[in-house]
Structure formats: structure tokens, C-alpha cells
Amino acid sequence: MVSPEHPDRARPGERPGSVRTVVVWDALGPVLSGAPRDVVDIGGGTGGFAVRVAQAGHRVTVVDPSPDALAALARRAREVGVEVAGRQGDVSGLLDVVGVDSADVVLCHGLLEVVDAAEALATIRQVLRPGGTVSILVAQRHAAVVARAMAGHLHQALALLDGDEATERTTGRNVRPPRRFTADELTALVEEAGFSVAGVHAVRVFTDLVPGSLLDQEPGAAAALADLERAVAERPEYLPLATQLHLLAT
């Protein structure tokens, strides 16, 4: 079986994508150590996380609205010789799909940005068994402001300072844009849902800024980048610079 602790450890010559989730896997390592657990991955798509968790010996169910994504998940699982249950659905019908008190761990990665976050967390709390853990990965607002400014979208950057609703008014979009969170907002939201926050981690502080060509040409650069991401992951001053925030709560 593959250890969940460092499945994304970078090697010389690897592209930036290989270190994008290294901080998340490091945080999940202790959660997924020990006896097999029941893990539900909401919106897990093609199984980027789910298959690796299954390789570590856990019982994994992916709930996703896309039948194409679930088909790709099944192929990926077969290729590495593990079983992952794919169920079509979304967070609004999660209780009908997996049931109450059905999971020891819930992965909620890239979900709260596009749903009613409070309602989603309330549902996840019902799915988790007592003492269970939720892993949350979301986009972080301050980094999005900087990214838009650097791309020349100055009006969007200015509007995003006050939140995504202001950006929607500025751009005139009829569809609500994906929500982004600050560390304080995310922590407050999770605690209001009745969870106890175990840790908040900065994800992709530097990875999106380092040219891929550097990692291709400089021996050891990818491993050094992964080590740098790990070094700042739990430093609060780097949370506003992170492209994503990762939070663990029980």
C-alpha cells in the first residue's frame, strides 16, 4: 500500500503540479494513518485524492454529479488495482447517497466555493461519525486579488478586495462567481457549523509563482519548492499569500 503521508513528495525534474497538494497530503497523513477508515470525497471527480486514499487501504466513496467524471474515476482506480465506490449526486442530496454517521473522514475540496457553504457544512456534520474529521480546501481571496492585478484586471482586483459579491456587481455577471475565503472567514464558518478547527494551512504560496521551466532545468528545484511550501504552511503570516487554504476540523 502507498503511505498517505508523502505521496506527492517531489523529485528533481517534476512539474509544479507535483507539489501543488503536498501540504494537504502532509496534513492528512496523521488522519489517514492506522486502521482503515470510511472516507467520503464530495465532488471528488476523477479521483485525484480518492484513489490515493484507497491505495492507503481505506474504504472510499466519491460523490460527484458528473457521470463522465465517475467513469474516469473507475478507470483510474482499475489501473492501480484499488476499489473506489462512485455515486452520482451532490452535497444537497448527500444524506440520501451515503447516509447519516457513515464516514470517519470527509474530503470537501473545491466545494464550498460553489455551494451554500453553511448548508454544506451542516450536511457534512451529519455524515461524519462522532470524532470524525473533515478536510476542507478552498480558494483564498487575497491571493486572487494579487493574481488579477498582475494579469492587468485592475477593476476586478479592486472589487475583490471587498468580496466576491462586489466583483459580481463590478463585472455585471448574472451568475454568482465562485466564492473565495480568508482564513478568518473560513475558520468562523466552520466553527459556526459546530466543528472544532484542528489546523489551517497555507497551500500553494510559491508554486503558482515559480516558472515550470525552472523546475525542468534546475536539478532539485521541485524538491526544494516542496520543502519551501511545507516550511511556510503553518506560518500565519503566509496565509494571505496562499492560493488555497486547507483546514482540518473535527
Side-chain angles (χ1 to χ4, degrees):
M1 293 188 296
V2 175
S3 168
E5 297 184 7
H6 297 294
D8 264 351
R9 185 173 293 279
R11 294 180 291 274
E14 290 191 45
R15 301 286 298 178
S18 63
V19 297
R20 289 165 68 90
T21 57
V22 66
V23 167
V24 180
W25 283 112
D26 281 358
L28 282 173
V31 176
L32 296 174
S33 63
R37 313 284 177 84
D38 292 313
V39 181
V40 173
D41 187 352
I42 310 172
T46 61
F49 275 89
V51 169
R52 294 188 180 194
V53 174
Q55 285 181 285
H58 301 287
R59 299 175 292 271
V60 185
T61 299
V62 171
V63 179
D64 195 278
S66 170
D68 291 338
L70 293 176
L73 163 69
R75 289 193 297 271
R76 175 180 282 186
R78 284 196 302 270
E79 288 173 358
V80 297
V82 298
E83 292 186 6
V84 177
R87 301 285 185 266
Q88 189 169 1
D90 55 29
V91 69
S92 64
L94 188 62
L95 294 178
D96 296 328
V97 177
V98 299
V100 176
D101 291 344
S102 59
D104 301 301
V105 180
V106 169
L107 305 184
C108 177
H109 296 170
L111 177 69
L112 297 188
E113 296 96 319
V114 295
V115 299
D116 185 303
E119 290 183 4
L121 289 170
T123 300
I124 290 170
R125 196 166 186 269
Q126 294 182 70
V127 169
L128 278 172
R129 293 169 182 147
T133 299
V134 59
S135 170
I136 299 172
L137 187 64
V138 298
Q140 197 270 130
R141 184 185 305 140
H142 299 312
V145 172
V146 174
R148 276 159 177 70
M150 292 179 64
H153 304 305
L154 303 181
H155 293 294
Q156 291 183 25
L158 182 61
L160 194 55
L161 287 173
D162 296 321
D164 299 289
E165 292 181 0
T167 304
E168 182 178 4
R169 292 194 299 270
T170 301
T171 60
R173 293 175 59 179
N174 294 323
V175 179
R176 178 183 174 183
R179 185 178 179 186
R180 298 162 188 82
F181 300 84
T182 65
D184 289 343
E185 290 170 347
L186 181 61
T187 299
L189 186 67
V190 172
E191 290 178 341
E192 287 171 4
F195 290 91
S196 176
V197 175
V200 182
H201 314 104
V203 178
R204 289 163 54 192
V205 175
F206 303 105
T207 298
D208 295 345
L209 304 176
V210 176
S213 58
L214 173 65
L215 301 187
D216 288 338
Q217 298 170 9
E218 186 70 25
L225 177 59
D227 289 341
L228 183 59
E229 292 283 2
R230 289 188 176 102
V232 302
E234 296 187 29
R235 297 192 181 191
E237 64 269 28
Y238 284 91
L239 290 173
L241 304 178
T243 299
Q244 293 177 305
L245 300 172
H246 179 246
L247 181 147
L248 286 177
T250 58

